[in-house]
Amino acid sequence: MNEYDSSKIANILAPVGYIRTEEIKEADLILINTCNVREKAEQKVYSLLGRLKRFKQRNPSTLIGVGGCVAQQKGESLLHRVEYLDFVFGTHAFFDLPEILAELSNGTRRACYTDLHYRFEEDRNVQPVSACGTEVKGLITIMRGCNNFCTFCVVPYVRGREVSRSAKSILCEAKELLKAGIKEITVLGQNVNSYRSPDEHLGFSELLELMNGLEGLQRIRFTTSHPKDLSPSLVSAFGKLSKLCPHIHLPLQSGSNRILKRMNRRYTREDYLNKIEDLRNVCPDISITTDLIVGFPGETEADFQETLDVLHMVKFDGAFSFKYSDRVPAKAVRFKDKISEETKSRRLRSLQAIQKDITMERNIRFERRIERVLVESRNKKNPLQLTGRIAGNQIVNFEGTEDLIGQVVPIRIEEGLLHSLRGRPALINCQGGAP
Ligand code: SAH
Ligand code: SF4
């Protein structure tokens, strides 16, 4: 989501003359787009700002702005804390940046722009964005905000209430991406399963169906789904829609019903396992990834063990796992029975060790198979190799020439590794058919 927003910001500023640079010395304007979903992400903002202090002393005319979730939450107090910061802009102020910058250049100093107002219609006037610096994959936000109020989470407070974007505007943006040569589109939202288009009254699976009909589009992905809203129609979409990739990111958070209840996730471990079974009935080889939190307040060894049990039962292809951290003003901040840092670290280590073996086992299943790989770019670590992804979203590296970038090519997988697969081109025709 942040990557998408950062690229959107660059595209919003392009018409008023700003060009993106990776070289800080060249910059007239430095924008830090922030995340505060976990404590660590927020700390990174302060350490980056600390590193910019001397730069600002030497280059006083370079404007520095902090935007996004930390900005939304901290507002004015960021200006007090960081005396060389020029301005703060919240999660809904991106489209106002040209005017904000004009005000700043007219003498307004040290301002804070953190009103929450949705202006999806403006997306239409901004160039769409490609993902991960590739020319092959694009991103589209289909909704903003969240209404779920999981007790650990700050998102509803910093991104506001859930609002879906019209299907018409999403399809327009998708067509723009396709015109620019994009082959794969990932649609984004905190809980895409509760998408409901405001004008056309379409649900998420109906939106996917419309996207599936777009000429030139090869692959569709989405993230993130909330298990409580994973509908039968979305499950069956995996069997029906030829361009929908067989991968779902379905955050479990905990395998203990007691903890899930305290997290206000509104599903049980059994509900979750049933949904996994439904998905695998429709699409037996689907890749499933998840998010897990260890050390949520009140989590006992028995609760933690229940999470590990689910890991063994489901065999996720991958898991992002985090130590719980307090995020003011989320409700769990006020829960009394906090878990010690030491216990959280121990649980995280043991969960990650178990998941590592499972991911290896899952990746090894591809060995000797021929997989269709959408080639994205050269492999940055090994320039002789190209890198791309199979439909299940696993990364594949193989030797090949640059003309393959943007194409779907058949690759024989030779080795399953922990973070990727290694393969070589297979000699079969790979046009049409599945993603
Ligand atoms: N909307 C997504 C989650 C977005 S936040 C969903 O509901 O699945 C991304 C992930 O960060 C969450 O899935 C959770 O695992 C983690 N996370 C959020 N708040 C956290 C906190 N306070 N401490 C640790 N991890 C947290
Ligand atoms: Fe946060 Fe829960 Fe909303 Fe996800 S669904 S963004 S975890 S409140």
Side-chain angles (χ1 to χ4, degrees):
M1 193 73 83
N2 270 32
E3 191 185 308
Y4 175 85
D5 286 344
S6 297
S7 301
K8 268 263 146 127
I9 289 172
N11 294 352
I12 288 165
L13 291 178
V16 287
Y18 284 91
I19 302 167
R20 227 173 154 148
T21 174
E22 302 301 321
E23 265 305 320
I24 201 157
K25 285 190 214 106
E26 289 177 358
D28 302 306
L29 170 68
I30 298 171
L31 298 178
I32 305 174
N33 187 21
T34 62
C35 169
N36 70 344
V37 77
R38 289 175 296 276
E39 197 178 0
K40 211 167 160 184
E42 188 175 331
Q43 282 163 0
K44 284 186 186 171
V45 179
Y46 297 120
S47 69
L48 175 57
L49 279 168
R51 292 202 299 278
L52 285 176
K53 187 173 182 174
R54 287 190 58 198
F55 176 85
K56 179 72 176 175
Q57 279 164 353
R58 280 194 229 115
N59 304 274
S61 63
T62 300
L63 292 177
I64 303 181
V66 172
C69 293
V70 174
Q72 187 64 45
Q73 191 178 44
K74 304 287 176 206
E76 291 268 345
S77 71
L78 265 177
L79 292 173
H80 299 302
R81 179 173 174 161
V82 185
E83 75 276 10
Y84 49 92
L85 185 61
D86 293 290
F87 67 107
V88 171
F89 61 105
T91 49
H92 294 192
F94 300 160
F95 291 99
D96 302 328
L97 275 169
E99 290 94 70
I100 292 175
L101 291 168
E103 274 178 30
L104 290 169
S105 66
N106 285 338
T108 306
R109 277 282 168 259
R110 316 216 66 222
C112 176
Y113 306 86
T114 46
D115 278 358
L116 284 179
H117 52 78
Y118 289 97
R119 303 208 298 191
F120 257 136
E121 71 281 6
E122 282 163 316
D123 276 281
R124 249 183 264 154
N125 306 324
V126 179
Q127 279 287 312
V129 303
S130 55
C132 315
T134 78
E135 304 300 315
V136 179
K137 303 196 295 184
L139 301 169
I140 303 183
T141 287
I142 61 164
M143 60 204 299
R144 294 208 183 121
C146 181
N147 292 345
N148 286 314
F149 290 93
C150 302
T151 56
F152 53 80
C153 186
V154 77
V155 169
Y157 304 95
V158 291
R159 294 226 168 219
R161 289 298 69 70
E162 194 173 286
V163 179
S164 295
R165 180 175 174 185
S166 82
K168 193 170 156 217
S169 133
I170 295 167
L171 292 170
C172 264
E173 187 158 329
K175 284 179 193 156
E176 287 294 314
L177 286 170
L178 295 174
K179 260 195 249 159
I182 292 292
K183 301 289 187 306
E184 172 182 305
I185 294 178
T186 301
V187 294
L188 302 171
Q190 290 301 344
N191 177 13
V192 290
N193 300 347
S194 64
Y195 171 83
R196 185 116 211 118
S197 75
D199 303 337
E200 307 89 345
H201 305 291
L202 302 174
F204 183 55
S205 36
E206 291 158 313
L207 175 72
L208 289 179
E209 214 167 310
L210 288 176
M211 291 189 66
N212 199 62
L214 289 174
E215 209 175 309
L217 182 59
Q218 303 229 4
R219 289 179 168 184
I220 307 169
R221 299 185 189 278
F222 61 85
T223 195
T224 292
S225 315
H226 194 302
K228 80 175 164 57
D229 298 315
L230 178 63
S231 64
S233 69
L234 183 55
V235 172
S236 61
F238 281 103
K240 258 186 5 208
L241 303 182
S242 60
K243 297 177 182 175
L244 183 61
C245 288
H247 169 224
I248 187 163
H249 185 68
L250 199 62
L252 168 68
Q253 313 299 1
S254 168
S256 151
N257 282 338
R258 206 177 62 82
I259 297 296
L260 286 172
K261 196 161 182 23
R262 281 169 65 98
M263 287 177 162
N264 191 31
R265 289 291 285 180
R266 286 178 281 166
Y267 53 83
T268 61
R269 158 201 182 93
E270 292 73 27
D271 296 334
Y272 188 92
L273 291 171
N274 285 338
K275 300 223 167 167
I276 298 290
E277 196 180 326
D278 293 346
L279 284 162
R280 287 190 167 143
N281 281 338
V282 170
C283 185
D285 199 38
I286 191 166
S287 290
I288 302 174
T289 53
T290 199
D291 288 349
L292 300 158
I293 296 178
V294 301
F296 184 79
E299 184 188 69
T300 61
E301 286 301 326
D303 292 319
F304 175 60
Q305 190 54 50
E306 291 198 56
T307 301
L308 299 185
D309 291 346
V310 176
L311 249 57
H312 289 297
M313 289 159 87
V314 174
K315 293 197 186 297
F316 293 107
D317 289 81
F320 297 103
S321 45
F322 313 103
K323 289 191 271 187
Y324 167 81
S325 55
D326 272 344
R327 308 311 295 140
V328 176
K331 202 168 167 194
V333 172
R334 299 190 297 279
F335 291 1
K336 297 269 173 288
D337 34 8
K338 295 281 157 57
I339 304 300
S340 73
E341 206 44 46
E342 192 190 336
T343 303
K344 285 196 273 189
S345 298
R346 177 173 48 76
R347 287 183 188 164
L348 188 69
R349 276 197 306 275
S350 86
L351 181 150
Q352 287 180 340
I354 290 169
Q355 182 55 43
K356 192 170 156 189
D357 289 346
I358 296 172
T359 300
M360 267 312 291
E361 184 188 323
R362 292 291 289 165
N363 283 351
I364 284 171
R365 85 186 193 276
F366 293 107
E367 289 180 1
R368 291 178 298 282
R369 282 206 216 164
I370 292 179
E371 290 288 329
R372 297 162 61 91
V373 173
L374 175 59
V375 186
E376 292 172 17
S377 59
R378 285 228 154 270
N379 178 356
K380 288 193 187 82
K381 289 190 195 138
N382 178 351
L384 290 179
Q385 287 185 336
L386 296 172
T387 187
R389 285 180 191 255
I390 64 172
N393 210 32
Q394 288 79 3
I395 294 171
V396 179
N397 294 310
F398 64 97
E399 284 188 13
T401 48
E402 228 155 74
D403 55 307
L404 294 178
I405 293 174
Q407 293 189 38
V408 175
V409 294
I411 298 291
R412 186 183 149 88
I413 305 301
E414 300 196 312
E415 194 179 6
L417 305 161
L418 184 57
H419 301 293
S420 62
L421 310 173
R422 191 177 53 75
R424 68 180 158 79
L427 297 171
I428 58 162
N429 185 351
C430 205
Q431 297 309 307

